[in-house]
Amino acid sequence: MPRAGLDRDTVVAAGAALADEVGLAGLTMALLAERVGVRTPSLYKHVDSLDALHRGIAIRAQTELTAVLARATAGRSGPDAVRTFARAWRRWAVDHRGRYDAGVRAPADDDEEHLRLSNDTLQVLYDVLSGFDLTGPRVTDAARALRSALHGFAMLESSGGFGLRRDLDRSFDFLVETLIAGLRAEHDSLPADRDGPPLTHRTPP
């Protein structure tokens, strides 16, 4: 019999917390079983496999990150929205490295739930960029640039990749202000491919 009080949501939540501690690559079913106080075979009553556990953590991560980003950017627009979005993304990614790693992978084409949640996150990103009046493919370019820059900084920070004696917050602010300047310059350049921004997305940009 499964342990009383143990269900799929509890197992995934414990897996997410453990992934943050040991890294997603270090997460095993054996470690998780020890954490929740059962034998390893008992976990398979709740999750089918390690891949299924990773997917569950990704779903949880996507939901949590979207909520954090939406709260941070509510009522903000333009450069102010980008700044608050960037800070919220960085902080959450660094504080939740394991679940962030699970959530950053693009969802499978046939995983409707994961696609929907990924779209929710992307909608916050596109809402933030809407204040710069970019259109057409430039919106996707801007989304990729912002996402890539924030991801790279957060991953370097969480893995101890910055060795120089310079305050990380100042370097991060420099990165964000450089991105904002680029977004402003892109808008001012009035590119030719102005065929309207994409409204819905089924995969990360």
Side-chain angles (χ1 to χ4, degrees):
M1 293 289 291
R3 197 191 78 181
L6 194 64
D7 57 20
R8 185 181 183 281
D9 287 345
T10 304
V11 168
V12 171
L18 187 56
D20 288 343
E21 295 175 22
V22 303
L24 188 66
L27 177 64
T28 66
M29 297 296 271
L31 279 176
L32 181 56
E34 183 180 352
R35 170 61 59 89
V36 299
V38 299
R39 294 182 181 275
T40 302
S42 297
L43 287 181
Y44 293 98
K45 297 181 175 71
H46 307 289
V47 289
D48 295 337
S49 63
L50 184 60
D51 283 344
L53 177 62
H54 282 188
R55 178 193 175 274
I57 295 172
I59 294 293
R60 189 178 188 88
Q62 205 81 59
T63 302
E64 292 176 356
L65 179 57
T66 299
V68 166
L69 297 175
R71 284 196 302 269
T73 57
R76 300 176 185 272
S77 63
D80 187 39
V82 172
R83 293 183 188 105
T84 56
F85 179 94
R87 291 167 188 153
W89 182 297
R90 173 196 175 195
R91 189 73 275 137
W92 195 88
V94 171
D95 290 345
H96 304 92
R97 174 63 189 270
R99 68 190 76 186
Y100 177 82
D101 283 347
V104 76
R105 186 173 62 180
D109 289 340
D110 60 351
D111 191 335
E112 291 296 329
E113 181 185 15
H114 197 180
L115 285 165
R116 176 178 56 80
L117 292 170
S118 181
N119 281 342
D120 290 344
T121 308
L122 291 174
Q123 191 58 58
V124 179
L125 172 56
Y126 279 89
D127 288 346
V128 164
L129 293 172
S130 67
F132 294 89
D133 295 326
L134 302 174
T135 57
R138 297 300 188 187
V139 181
T140 299
D141 294 340
R144 285 175 172 170
L146 180 56
R147 184 170 175 249
S148 298
L150 299 181
H151 173 78
F153 194 101
M155 292 304 93
L156 284 167
E157 180 178 1
S158 63
S159 61
F162 293 120
L164 297 178
R165 300 183 65 178
R166 170 66 171 170
D167 181 72
L168 286 181
D169 290 342
R170 290 181 180 274
S171 295
F172 186 74
D173 288 345
F174 178 86
L175 171 67
V176 173
E177 294 305 318
T178 300
L179 290 167
I180 289 170
L183 291 169
R184 283 172 163 159
E186 181 61 27
H187 171 256
D188 293 342
S189 71
L190 297 175
D193 49 359
R194 301 177 67 84
D195 54 356
L199 297 179
T200 59
H201 313 271
R202 290 185 63 79
T203 57

